[in-house]
Amino acid sequence: MAYGQMRVLLVDRAAGAVAALARVARLAVRLATRTSMGPSDIYAAVATAKFMAAHELVERAAVAVEESGDPDIDLIQINTPLWFGGMTLHDDEESQ
């Protein structure tokens, strides 16, 4: 690849990145101006999404344990990934 082609490829990628950032910014401006959601509403939605994702993780793990058919498997603890807040979920029966 020639030097000129590398420069054009670099400029093309930079232009693509700027266009993607502009689309994200345009979406953010639309959401901020066209919805009645304030900062506290957005925070509540994010917090609720985090707990709903953890609940979905528990449900999927329970289904996987049931489908395994092994009676010796007990679901006692699940760790959520860091992008969900890094929570450790315990089974209610085991923690009492």
Side-chain angles (χ1 to χ4, degrees):
M1 187 177 290
Y3 179 71
Q5 289 176 327
M6 289 290 286
R7 287 180 40 190
V8 169
L9 181 63
L10 181 62
V11 168
D12 186 47
R13 287 187 181 173
V18 168
L21 285 173
R23 281 193 301 270
V24 170
R26 185 172 47 240
L27 177 64
V29 168
R30 275 191 203 154
L31 288 175
T33 58
R34 293 187 182 176
T35 64
S36 61
M37 294 180 70
S40 61
D41 297 327
I42 294 172
Y43 174 77
V46 169
T48 302
K50 179 175 114 174
F51 288 111
M52 290 301 294
H55 178 72
E56 180 67 23
L57 179 64
V58 169
E59 291 295 320
R60 287 185 183 186
V63 168
V65 167
E66 277 183 23
E67 289 177 352
S68 71
D70 189 357
D72 295 331
I73 296 177
D74 290 327
L75 182 63
I76 58 171
Q77 180 176 334
I78 296 176
N79 295 323
T80 62
L82 287 176
W83 57 85
F84 288 143
M87 297 185 308
T88 299
L89 307 170
H90 299 279
D91 187 12
D92 289 339
E93 295 174 7
E94 294 292 325
S95 62
Q96 293 178 357

